Amino acid sequence: MSSKIRAAITGVNGWVPEYKLTNQELERMVDTNDEWIRTRTGIKERRILKGERKGTSEIVVNSIKGLLEKTNTDPNDVELLILATVTPDMVFPDTANTACDLLGMKNAFAYDINAACSGFIFALATGAKFIQSGMYKKVIVAGADKMSSIVDYTDRATCVIFGDGGGAVLLEPTESGHGIIDEIFKGDGSGRQYLHMKAGGSLKPPSHASIDAREHFVFQDGRPVFKAAVKGMTSTVEQLLKRNGLNKEDINWLIPHQANQRIINSVASILDFPVERVPVNIHKYGNTTGGTIPLCLWEWEEKFNKGDNIILTAFGGGFTWGSIYLKWAY
Ligand code: COA
């Protein structure tokens, strides 16, 4: 028994919109084909949030509504919401605050974190620190993106990859030895040249010219991102194992950010980690950026056992990357 306060995930919920954008439909939109998409990315379909005035908050609110119900949590008891997203409803205010209002979480303060595809694990570690301080008892961490709002559906190299969706976890204190144990995070700002949105920020505010040049969409040079993702995820997992005196047999689940099936396969293969213990749902959701890891936790929740050793690993724009080691608490 450890007397150290740790943040345990005590509930998880995910939400994806109903509309399925299939590879076949993409074949009719851009010069691509189902075979190329499946063999290069592993993706068969992705979900798209349709409808007027529906932003990322729609995903966050639906995820958290279900989470509060599942965990029997009174919205008034939530003290903090941290949301990882690159597609906030608006540049400001933060979408986490909007979600608190829509959910009736009147006593919570809230803010967004932008670390692209690493956003959820960065946010999770941040939320955990508030719990570990002993000052907070109920923190929700969400990861959600409406990637369809920033994807150029004339650019075949990016539009096949991304989808909309997300999820949320409840963090509560425990002294049982379960919960978030360790993390290793890294960054390299020079990677921004390979993955970014050119306009819409303070560097290049929106203008007719920026719209005409299609600069309000994800720009990606896929190959360097692919290589850096494999290296970043494997190296931080290896360091985390070593630092905690663990070997791969001790890990029940390795949950990678769902960027590309080939990236996931490479990470598993380099680490010599059995694929049966690597949750994958990219074939049905694509890359939902901040949403992928909570969506995996949600879909695999039933398979987890109390005490399971789990590693979360992610890589994203920035570049940002890292891994978290936790012990499942229920
Ligand atoms: N359909 C058909 N052909 C396509 C295509 C599509 N959707 N997209 C690109 N191509 C073509 C390219 O034009 C290129 O043709 P060329 O050889 O005639 O120039 C060819 O396929 C190979 O392109 P390339 O970009 O080298 O392919 P790739 O094997 O690197 O795969 C990605 C492209 C984007 C799938 C891959 O690089 C990747 O997944 N990168 C990481 C992306 C990622 O995970 N980002 C999220 C942040 S973590």
Side-chain angles (χ1 to χ4, degrees), residues 41-43 117 161-163 233 254-265 278-297 299-300 313-315:
T41 71
I43 302 166
C117 296
I161 294 172
F162 295 101
M233 292 202 269
L254 173 66
I255 305 181
H257 165 56
Q258 312 278 304
N260 180 319
Q261 179 72 60
R262 289 188 297 138
I263 294 177
I264 296 171
N265 292 349
V278 181
V280 172
N281 56 17
I282 191 170
H283 52 287
K284 40 183 194 170
Y285 303 140
N287 180 350
T288 54
T289 302
T292 66
I293 289 182
L295 282 172
C296 279
L297 291 172
E299 291 203 325
W300 263 260
T313 186
F315 182 92

Side-chain angles (χ1 to χ4, degrees), residues 31-32 36 40-41 117 156-157 160-161 195 220 222-223 225-226 257 259-260 262-263 287 315:
D31 181 15
T32 189
W36 192 96
R40 295 293 179 117
T41 71
C117 296
R156 66 178 183 174
V160 301
I161 294 172
L195 188 49
Q220 177 171 255
R223 288 211 166 173
V225 177
F226 190 108
H257 165 56
N260 180 319
R262 289 188 297 138
I263 294 177
N287 180 350
F315 182 92

Side-chain angles (χ1 to χ4, degrees), residues 17 51 57 81 88 162 168 170 181 190 211 235 248 258 263 270-271 294 297 305 321:
S57 60
L81 167 62
F162 295 101
L170 178 64
I181 295 174
S190 70
I211 289 170
S235 64
K248 65 175 196 293
Q258 312 278 304
I263 294 177
I270 293 167
L271 294 170
L297 291 172
N305 291 305
W321 68 97

